[in-house]
Amino acid sequence: MDSAPRRRLISSAITLLAEEGVEAVTLRRIAREAGVSHGAPLRHFTGRAELLSAVASEGFAELGEVDLPEASALDRLRAACRAYLTFAKRNPAMFELMFRHDLIDTAELDQTVFIRFTKLVEAAQAEGWRTDAEPRMLAASLWAALHGLAELWLWGGLAERDLPGTLELTLNAYLD
C-alpha cells in the first residue's frame, strides 16, 4: 500500500507528465509540484526510474481496467484493440512512458497487456476464429500492429482523420 506522501509524489508526477511530457518529469520537478523538499522523493523511491515505474504502473492499470462489451469473443477483441488506441490518444505522454525501456523497468508491466491480448485471442479461437495459429503469436502480432499504429498516430505519421480507416483496415486484416 502506498503511503500518503508516496501517493502524492506519484500523483504529482502523473500531472506533470500529462502537462509537460516525459522529459519534464524529474525528481526536483515532482517534489516542487508535490510541495515537498527536493530530497523527499528519495525517501520513498530509490530513484527516478522507480518513481517513473510506479507512474507507468498506473497507466497499465488504467489500460487494463477498460470494460469490454458483453459480446462475442471476437467483438471483445476488437473493442480491446480500439480501447488500446483510444488510451494512447487520450494519454500520449503516459503511453510513451509505459514503453520507455530506457527509463523504467517495463518487462513485468508489459506482460499485463500481452497476457490480456493473449486471453482475448484464446477466447476468440475457442469460438472458431483463427484456430490455425498459436495464440501467443497472434496476440504478439496484433499488439505490434496496434502499437505501431498508435506510435505513427502520436508522432504524426498518420493524420488523425486517417486513423479510423487505418484502424478498421488493420483490424479487418488481422481479425477477419
Side-chain angles (χ1 to χ4, degrees):
M1 178 185 260
D2 288 333
S3 66
R6 180 180 167 95
R7 180 76 240 148
R8 190 167 67 197
L9 290 166
I10 293 170
S11 294
S12 294
I14 290 170
T15 300
L16 187 58
L17 176 67
E19 291 174 356
E20 298 185 36
V22 173
E23 300 310 318
V25 185
T26 65
L27 292 179
R28 283 188 179 272
R29 289 288 309 275
I30 294 165
R32 186 171 47 229
E33 294 297 318
V36 298
S37 72
H38 71 274
L42 294 177
R43 286 193 288 279
H44 301 280
F45 300 93
T46 59
R48 182 174 184 239
E50 184 181 0
L51 196 154
L52 291 178
S53 293
V55 170
S57 292
E58 302 258 333
F60 279 106
E62 183 180 338
L63 183 58
E65 292 170 359
V66 171
D67 287 329
L68 298 177
E70 292 297 325
S72 74
L74 190 55
D75 287 340
R76 290 174 59 77
L77 181 56
R78 283 181 194 278
C81 293
R82 288 185 185 98
Y84 188 86
L85 288 172
T86 299
F87 178 87
K89 180 182 178 187
R90 288 186 183 152
N91 307 285
M94 177 65 81
F95 187 78
E96 176 188 353
L97 176 65
M98 289 164 56
F99 298 99
R100 288 285 304 265
H101 295 269
D102 60 322
L103 297 177
I104 63 174
D105 178 16
T106 62
E108 185 178 310
L109 300 173
D110 287 1
Q111 286 302 307
T112 60
V113 174
F114 182 65
I115 289 167
R116 186 170 198 203
F117 272 116
T118 301
K119 287 180 179 179
L120 289 165
V121 165
E122 289 171 338
Q125 286 181 312
E127 292 182 0
W129 173 77
R130 295 289 313 263
T131 57
D132 61 326
E134 199 276 321
R136 291 174 49 87
M137 292 303 295
L138 282 175
S141 69
L142 180 59
W143 183 22
L146 288 169
H147 195 81
L149 278 173
E151 288 287 331
L152 285 169
W153 189 17
L154 293 173
W155 287 90
L158 290 173
E160 187 169 334
R161 64 178 158 39
D162 294 339
L163 187 66
T166 304
L167 172 59
E168 290 308 314
L169 285 173
T170 302
L171 290 178
N172 289 340
Y174 276 87
L175 303 177
D176 289 344

